[in-house]
């Protein structure tokens, strides 16, 4: 399949055809005096034809515009939440005997990164009325699982990558055997951490639901499913629907679980949890679409990881199947659908999640 060949329209997406994931058509929420609470959106994708990857413009021409939203200092919010998560992660994995395995775990877990998943977990917990302290252990668990997936994904038997977050990958720093074990240890610690640190402050029923949600997201019907289909698809013709399956499972499922678990731990009702799920499923796939675009438009130095790997290994990506413009348009539609789900919540309370959707759409690394 030729690079950047364009399919007719992103409407072919299986995700966007699914009415359970699309824009909700129920009546808009009203304020206490009965008037409609309106949140208008303007989402635009660039339409410049791209001759080569070096001239690619940002994903969207300008940020998502959300009117009637209180002024919100997102950078400050993101920094504050990330610091709380960083502190909790540092405490969760002390350097103890056997030191080599714990050094390897800490090396990747504390290597920085955007901490998008744990911040989403905390934000969704607070949106449904919970205190962020309730969700800190779950937020840490999500990041442990994400880190495990990166360690294993970088292994020679998988993507065979040498660079992650601007540093040598775990197996390059500690050896393959230790890297595999470090990933395994982080995965098991994630579930132990939720169970040990949350049951005293959250009902056992909600803790079990969160653990089940997270387990499903990472297992053979989640991340692992996406990974194996991705591995088996290398060098083969892949349809858009197959590509979507890979990315929904490999990337979006864990992002979805981050948001859903936060809402569960925070005490959200079924309706709130499901709206958060729809929001998260859209931004989860959005994250991967943007990732695919960045892989062909940014350098390794800019990304902090090896750029162009998907192209070099002949992997299917959204730019490859849809063209860069088609991928941008698809990303814009996913962002719009995610924002639409938040219109059913209090605008001030949902501000972090509005901004996180915008951040994911416009990230440059």
């Amino acid at each position: 399949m030729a690079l950047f060949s364009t399919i007719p329209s992103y409407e072919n997406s299986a995700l966007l055809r699914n009415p359970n994931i699309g824009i909700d058509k129920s009546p808009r929420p009203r304020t206490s005096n009965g008037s409609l609470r309106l949140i208008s959106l303007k989402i635009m994708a660039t339409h410049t034809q791209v001759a080569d990857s070096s001239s690619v413009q940002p994903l969207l021409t300008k940020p998502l515009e959300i009117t009637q939203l209180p002024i919100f200092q997102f950078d400050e919010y993101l920094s504050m939440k990330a610091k709380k998560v960083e502190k909790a992660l540092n405490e969760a994995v002390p350097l103890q005997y056997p030191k080599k395995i714990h050094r390897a775990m800490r090396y990747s877990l504390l290597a920085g990164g955007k901490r998008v998943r744990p911040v989403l977990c905390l934000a969704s917990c607070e949106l449904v009325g919970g205190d962020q302290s309730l969700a800190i252990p779950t937020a840490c668990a999500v990041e442990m699982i994400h880190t495990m997936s990166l360690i294993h994904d970088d292994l020679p038997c998988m993507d065979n990558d040498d660079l992650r977050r601007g540093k040598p990958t775990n197996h390059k720093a500690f050896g393959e055997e230790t890297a595999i074990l470090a990933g395994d240890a982080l995965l098991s610690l994630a579930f132990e951490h939720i169970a040990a640190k949350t049951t005293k402050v959250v009902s056992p029923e909600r803790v079990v639901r969160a653990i089940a949600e997270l387990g499903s997201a990472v297992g053979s019907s989640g991340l692992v499913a996406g990974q194996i289909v991705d591995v088996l698809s290398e060098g083969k013709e892949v349809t858009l629907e197959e590509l979507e399956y890979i990315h929904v499972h490999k990337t979006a499922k864990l992002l979805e679980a981050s948001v859903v678990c936060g809402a569960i731990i925070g005490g959200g009702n079924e309706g709130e949890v499901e709206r958060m799920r729809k929001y998260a499923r859209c931004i989860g796939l959005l994250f991967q679409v943007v990732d695919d675009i960045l892989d062909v438009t940014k350098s390794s130095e800019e990304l902090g990881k090896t750029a162009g790997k998907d192209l070099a290994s002949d992997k299917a990506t959204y730019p490859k199947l849809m063209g860069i413009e088609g991928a941008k348009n698809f990303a814009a539609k996913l962002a719009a659908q995610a924002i639409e789900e938040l219109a059913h919540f209090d605008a001030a309370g949902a501000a972090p999640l509005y901004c996180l959707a915008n951040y994911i759409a416009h990230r440059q690394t």
Side-chain angles (χ1 to χ4, degrees), residues 314-327:
D314 197 26
K315 278 190 175 183
T317 66
Y318 281 98
K320 182 176 179 179
L321 294 186
M322 306 176 79
I324 289 183
E325 291 307 314

Side-chain angles (χ1 to χ4, degrees), residues 4 46-59 293 296-299 302 324-325 328 364:
F4 303 152
T46 58
H47 294 285
T48 306
Q49 293 299 316
V50 179
D52 61 80
S53 62
S54 63
S55 64
V56 173
Q57 301 300 311
L59 175 61
I293 294 171
V296 296
T297 62
K298 296 290 183 179
S299 67
E302 289 173 306
I324 289 183
E325 291 307 314
K328 288 179 181 179
Q364 297 297 307

Side-chain angles (χ1 to χ4, degrees), residues 37-84:
R37 189 182 74 217
L38 298 177
I39 300 177
S40 64
L41 305 171
K42 295 180 182 177
I43 301 180
M44 299 176 62
T46 58
H47 294 285
T48 306
Q49 293 299 316
V50 179
D52 61 80
S53 62
S54 63
S55 64
V56 173
Q57 301 300 311
L59 175 61
L60 304 180
T61 55
K62 57 183 177 178
L64 307 175
E65 294 184 8
I66 306 159
T67 61
Q68 298 187 18
L69 190 64
I71 294 174
F72 184 73
Q73 301 298 327
F74 177 66
D75 289 343
E76 183 179 328
Y77 173 90
L78 190 61
S79 175
M80 178 185 67
K81 297 295 186 188
K83 285 179 182 177
K84 286 185 179 296

